[in-house]
Amino acid sequence: DGGITQSPKYLFRKEGQNVTLSCEQNLNHDAMYWYRQDPGQGLRLIYYSQIVNDFQKGDIAEGYSVSREKKESFPLTVTSAQKNPTAFYLCASRGTGSETQYFGPGTRLLVL
Amino acid sequence: EDKVVQSPLSLVVHEGDTVTLNCSYEVTNFRSLLWYKQEKKAPTFLFMLTSSGIEKKSGRLSSILDKKELFSILNITATQTGDSAVYLCAVPRVQGAQKLVFGQGTRLTINP
């Protein structure tokens, strides 16, 4: 099955804790993206990567970090510096030459 | 600043009704506009409209783009309860990497 997977489905974070959200794709896409969605709002871009070993900050990168060591994987770490992390996190990927991004099922992050 | 605005934010209709969702945009050097449907999790791609393809249709869903007035509409005829979802409109920014700017979304509820 080709697609994008995200794990876990739900994640609970304690105060001061770093947590990592997984995103994997087997679509052979070069570009990958992380978005945050808050209730009643559209998606906002956190980080993106156009190619392996390269990534750029999006509009709301503060308190987050990413890595892109493999083409298939683009994990997102929510650090303790992110003061309001409760949200729905969506990962997307895009093939070269395409303008369409395809999304994973999302991870819902809650703070204990 | 690039901006995408959707209206209405919420819409409740009865099964069988026809609905029209609106998306207006202000972006530099427009290239394309994308519509997504989001049920409980991942947004799924519906249509992409470009300068060379200003009208798209798929079953009961259709969309047009007005490049002069800078808006798009998504039309759904003979609505069904399965059409209940949040509909998102997005426009890629020009400055590389196809970063999408999303509207707030329209939450559509179809009552039986």
Side-chain angles (χ1 to χ4, degrees):
Chain A
D1 250 18
I4 305 172
T5 57
Q6 290 185 241
S7 62
K9 190 173 172 180
Y10 295 96
L11 185 57
F12 297 91
R13 192 190 94 162
K14 294 180 185 175
E15 294 287 342
Q17 188 181 37
N18 292 354
V19 292
T20 297
L21 286 61
S22 167
C23 177
E24 304 276 331
Q25 53 98 1
N26 61 5
L27 301 169
N28 201 34
H29 286 173
D30 283 314
M32 295 185 76
Y33 306 80
W34 274 105
Y35 294 91
R36 169 182 171 138
Q37 187 176 33
D38 292 283
Q41 297 191 31
L43 282 63
R44 292 183 290 166
L45 182 65
I46 306 173
Y47 266 97
Y48 64 99
S49 168
Q50 297 188 76
I51 199 165
V52 175
N53 292 323
D54 183 65
F55 50 82
Q56 306 292 332
K57 291 182 181 179
D59 300 315
I60 53 166
E62 187 174 346
Y64 300 97
S65 66
V66 293
S67 62
R68 187 85 188 276
E69 295 175 4
K70 296 188 297 183
K71 188 175 186 178
E72 306 79 35
S73 178
F74 190 40
L76 173 75
T77 296
V78 184
T79 73
S80 57
Q82 173 48 242
K83 297 307 176 191
N84 185 22
T86 297
F88 188 49
Y89 290 87
L90 286 159
C91 177
S93 71
R94 177 181 64 84
T96 303
S98 169
E99 295 198 14
T100 305
Q101 293 180 23
Y102 295 93
F103 288 84
T107 292
R108 193 165 296 281
L109 177 61
L110 299 164
V111 176
L112 294 175
Chain B
E1 185 183 332
D2 299 328
K3 195 162 71 167
V4 177
V5 177
Q6 292 184 246
S7 64
L9 295 182
S10 180
L11 184 58
V12 181
V13 299
H14 290 293
E15 203 167 17
D17 288 351
T18 292
V19 297
T20 299
L21 311 182
N22 303 288
C23 174
S24 64
Y25 60 89
E26 293 176 29
V27 292
T28 309
N29 295 330
F30 172 85
R31 288 211 308 260
S32 63
L33 183 146
L34 293 86
W35 282 98
Y36 288 87
K37 176 183 181 182
Q38 184 178 26
E39 296 178 79
K40 297 209 169 135
K41 297 179 183 175
T44 53
F45 173 72
L46 292 175
F47 297 118
M48 184 173 76
L49 299 147
T50 67
S51 301
S52 56
I54 60 172
E55 185 169 354
K56 291 283 176 76
K57 185 173 169 63
S58 175
R60 295 177 296 102
L61 277 66
S62 62
S63 183
I64 63 167
L65 175 71
D66 187 324
K67 272 200 70 182
K68 185 178 173 188
E69 301 297 331
L70 307 184
F71 76 88
S72 173
I73 64 167
L74 177 68
N75 211 56
I76 308 175
T77 59
T79 51
Q80 302 170 357
T81 54
D83 295 326
S84 295
V86 175
Y87 290 84
L88 296 165
C89 170
V91 178
R93 287 184 191 153
V94 171
Q95 56 268 35
Q98 295 297 104
K99 295 182 287 183
L100 292 176
V101 180
F102 281 86
Q104 320 93 300
T106 294
R107 180 173 295 279
L108 177 63
T109 302
I110 311 296
N111 288 328

